[in-house]
Amino acid sequence: MSKSKGSRLVYACQTCGFQSPKWLGKCPDCGEWNGFIEERAAPSSTSDPAKVGMFGLSATRPLRYADIESQDDSRRDSGIAEFDRVLGGGIVPGSLVLIGGEPGVGKSTLMAQVAGALSDSHGTVLYVSGEESERQIKLRGERLGLKADGLFLLPETCLERVLEQVDALGPAAIIVDSVQTVFSMKLESAPGSVSQVREVAGQFLILAKNRSLPVFLIGHVTKDGQLAGPKALEHIVDTVLYFEGERHHNHRIIRAVKNRFGAANEIGIFEMTERGLVPVANPSAMFLSERPVGAAGSVVVAALEGSRPILVELQALVSSSQYGTGKRMTVGVDANRVSLLMAMLEKRLGMHLIGDDVYLNVAGGIELDEPAVDLGLVAAIVSSYRNRAIDERTVVFGEVGLAGEVRAISQASSRLREAVAMGFRRAVLPQTNIAGLPALDDGLELVGVRSVAEAIDALF
Ligand code: TYD
Ligand code: MG
C-alpha cells in the first residue's frame, strides 16, 4: 500500500505539524526551533467517492435539525467522579479524548484505573499498549487493586492490527497507551512522527464516531520535540486533558484544555498514593494546608477553576537586587500579567520596584490564568515590599486595570461561599460585585474596593 507513486518528501514540524518542501530551522507556524523532520507525504486515500463523507462514512445528506437525537442523556459515569468532572460530567459515547502529560506523571496509572472501573460497569474494555508488556500492566493493575473481569490487554503497535482486534472483540471503550507508539502501515514515516500520530488519531476518530464508543489516547508531552507532541492532535480530538504542574508534588491536577462536550478549564485533583490516584475531596484545604502563618508576601485568592472555586495561596518575594535591574520570575502565573501589574504599581502608587528582584509563586503547583487573581498578585507584591503580613483569614480577588481600578469578576458568590466554608472572615473584592450578591448570613465581612489604593488601605 505504501509505495504509491504520489508520495513525496516533505519536512514536517514535530510540534505543530506545519509542512514545508524544504528543511527549516524555525517553524513559521508555531515558532519552535529544530522541529523539522523528513517525512513522506501521505498518499491520498480518498479516491473512492463513496468514502469521502465525514468520518469515512458513505456520503452524507442534510438532516433535519429537529430529527436529530439529543445525546446529552447518554453520558456515562466512568466510576471515578473526579475524572467525570474533568470530562464535563461523564464519558460521551463516540468521543475521542486525548490525555497528555510528561512521562512518569501518571497517565497510565489513571487510565488503568479508568479501564478497571469502566470494565466493571460497562463490559469489555480494550487497553492497547505499545509501551508496556501485558505483565507490566497486570503488575500495575494488581497494585491498584483492579479486578476488572472485562478488561482486555493488547500489546500491539500496528494500527491495522489493532483495528482488526477491535472488530473481533467489540469493546465498549478503548484506551491507547500511547498514541506515539502506534503506527499505520499506510505511511512510511516513523512511529511518533506528526503524520503517523495524526493518521492514527484520525483512524481512531472514525472508529469512535462509527461505533459510538469512547476512545482515549494517551500522548506524551516531550520537550525536545522528537516525538510529535499532543499539540499536533488538539484539533482532531474532541477533548484534551493535560496533567498540569510538576510530578514532584504528591497531587496531580488534570485540566480539560479543550472540550467539545463540556466546559473547558475544568480540573480534577488527585493524590498519587501507593494504590494509584485518589481523588482529593477538598482541594482548597489541600492547597492551604502548608500555608505559613503571619508571613509577609503570602495571600489567599479565590480562583475559579472550571466550575469550581478553589482557594489558593499566592506568594511574593520582593528583595533588593544585587545588580542594577531586578530579576522577575513567576511560577504558576503569567509573567506578562505580573509585569503589567508591577508597571501599574510603579506609576499609580509610586512604588519603586525597578531595582528589586520580584518572585511570584502559586503554592501547590496549580496554574492560575484568570484576571480575578490580579488583586491577589498586587496584594502579595505590596505585602512583601512593605514587609507587612496580610491577615490570614482574609481572602482577596478582583481584576485590576492599568489605571489601578479594580474591576468586577465572575461568580463572586461561589468564591465567597468557598471562603466561608474554609473559615475565612473577611473578603476584599470589587465594589461592583457587591451590588449583585445575594444576602450572605455567614459572618463574612465584605470589603468592596474600587481601586488598588483602596484595597491596600483595607489590607494593611
Ligand atoms: P505512570 O502512570 O506509569 O506514568 P506515565 O504513564 O504518565 O508515564 O506512573 C508513573 C509514576 O507513578 C511512577 O513514578 C510510580 C507512580 N505510581 C505510584 O506512586 N502509585 C501507583 O499506584 C502507581 C501505579 C504508580
Ligand atoms: Mg505510561
Side-chain angles (χ1 to χ4, degrees):
M1 272 193 134
S2 51
K3 313 274 182 314
S4 99
K5 280 170 276 162
S7 72
R8 65 194 159 84
L9 280 183
V10 293
Y11 293 86
C13 169
Q14 301 298 299
T15 304
C16 71
F18 180 84
Q19 293 194 339
S20 155
K22 61 182 197 323
W23 189 86
L24 299 173
K26 184 185 178 188
C27 175
D29 206 21
C30 69
E32 200 66 41
W33 285 91
N34 293 326
F36 280 84
I37 281 184
E38 188 183 290
E39 290 188 6
R40 211 164 274 280
S44 168
S45 56
T46 50
S47 49
D48 179 359
K51 289 242 171 83
V52 294
M54 197 184 183
F55 310 129
L57 296 163
S58 51
T60 46
R61 61 192 164 74
L63 299 171
R64 192 184 293 277
Y65 172 77
D67 293 345
I68 298 169
E69 268 178 63
S70 162
Q71 263 218 327
D72 209 47
D73 51 349
S74 59
R75 276 182 192 273
R76 292 148 155 218
D77 286 349
S78 67
I80 299 173
E82 208 55 14
F83 187 66
D84 289 338
R85 165 199 285 278
V86 194
L87 290 174
I91 298 173
V92 177
S95 62
L96 184 64
V97 181
L98 176 69
I99 296 113
E102 287 177 26
V105 78
K107 300 178 297 296
S108 302
T109 304
L110 175 71
M111 291 323 291
Q113 289 178 261
V114 170
L118 276 179
S119 73
D120 289 341
S121 56
H122 298 41
T124 315
V125 174
L126 181 63
Y127 195 108
V128 180
S129 181
E131 306 210 327
E132 292 160 310
S133 69
E134 62 277 21
R135 293 242 176 74
Q136 280 172 295
I137 303 172
K138 175 89 194 232
L139 206 65
R140 178 187 284 120
E142 278 171 350
R143 201 168 149 185
L144 298 172
L146 302 183
K147 285 206 300 297
D149 280 339
L151 178 59
F152 286 75
L153 305 178
L154 177 65
E156 176 62 83
T157 54
C158 171
L159 174 69
E160 284 74 17
R161 277 188 239 141
V162 171
L163 295 179
E164 266 172 33
Q165 295 305 321
V166 170
D167 266 336
L169 188 69
I174 301 174
I175 292 150
V176 181
D177 186 2
S178 67
V179 65
Q180 279 120 339
T181 56
V182 180
F183 69 96
S184 165
M185 288 192 291
K186 279 191 225 155
L187 304 181
E188 286 169 35
S189 22
S193 62
V194 166
S195 42
Q196 280 289 6
V197 165
R198 283 197 177 161
E199 171 70 16
V200 170
Q203 291 295 328
F204 279 113
L205 182 73
I206 294 172
L207 182 78
K209 303 295 166 193
N210 279 352
R211 301 195 175 204
S212 204
L213 54 81
V215 178
F216 299 90
L217 304 177
I218 292 176
H220 290 291
V221 179
T222 53
K223 296 215 168 88
D224 62 1
Q226 271 310 301
L227 289 173
K231 282 253 175 294
L233 297 180
E234 282 184 0
H235 64 285
I236 299 177
V237 303
D238 295 315
T239 302
V240 181
L241 311 182
Y242 276 119
F243 276 83
E244 188 167 279
E246 304 156 44
R247 61 192 154 102
H248 306 295
H249 285 116
N250 251 351
H251 61 270
R252 300 282 188 275
I253 298 162
I254 299 164
R255 185 184 296 272
V257 296
K258 165 184 173 178
N259 195 349
R260 285 187 183 143
F261 307 115
N265 249 345
E266 202 69 73
I267 63 171
I269 303 172
F270 296 87
E271 196 175 353
M272 184 59 101
T273 69
E274 300 271 278
R275 306 197 70 219
L277 291 160
V278 177
V280 171
N282 187 344
S284 295
M286 186 195 74
F287 283 117
L288 298 183
S289 63
E290 287 169 296
R291 183 162 60 118
V293 172
S298 158
V299 65
V300 174
V301 293
L304 201 67
E305 294 295 343
S307 59
R308 171 161 63 180
I310 295 182
L311 302 189
V312 189
E313 182 201 356
L314 295 180
Q315 302 179 319
L317 189 66
V318 180
S319 62
S320 57
S321 174
Q322 305 281 6
Y323 313 99
T325 42
K327 206 174 148 185
R328 278 95 179 80
M329 223 180 93
T330 67
V331 179
V333 282
D334 180 25
N336 289 329
R337 191 82 199 163
V338 172
S339 303
L340 192 139
L341 292 171
M342 278 170 33
M344 184 280 302
L345 283 174
E346 302 222 0
K347 178 89 179 169
R348 306 284 168 199
L349 298 180
M351 282 171 57
H352 293 289
L353 294 162
I354 199 83
D356 287 331
D357 291 336
V358 179
Y359 303 96
L360 268 163
N361 179 38
V362 183
I366 191 170
E367 281 166 30
L368 302 177
D369 71 344
E370 45 155 9
V373 301
D374 287 355
L375 195 57
L377 293 171
V378 167
I381 293 171
V382 174
S383 167
S384 179
Y385 179 78
R386 295 194 181 175
N387 206 17
R388 301 252 327 258
I390 293 172
D391 169 52
E392 71 200 56
R393 297 229 249 172
T394 298
V395 63
V396 178
F397 57 87
E399 180 177 349
V400 174
L402 281 186
E405 81 279 19
V406 174
R407 295 162 169 263
I409 48 84
S410 63
Q411 302 200 36
S413 58
S414 65
R415 296 176 206 255
L416 291 173
R417 253 180 272 127
E418 182 73 5
V420 171
M422 292 304 297
F424 280 72
R425 289 286 164 79
R426 197 161 181 248
V428 176
L429 71 161
Q431 175 67 41
T432 34
N433 272 122
I434 290 192
L437 282 178
L440 289 161
D441 53 346
D442 30 39
L444 186 73
E445 181 196 351
L446 301 182
V447 184
V449 294
R450 287 182 191 83
S451 67
V452 168
E454 281 182 35
I456 288 173
D457 281 344
L459 288 169
F460 301 102

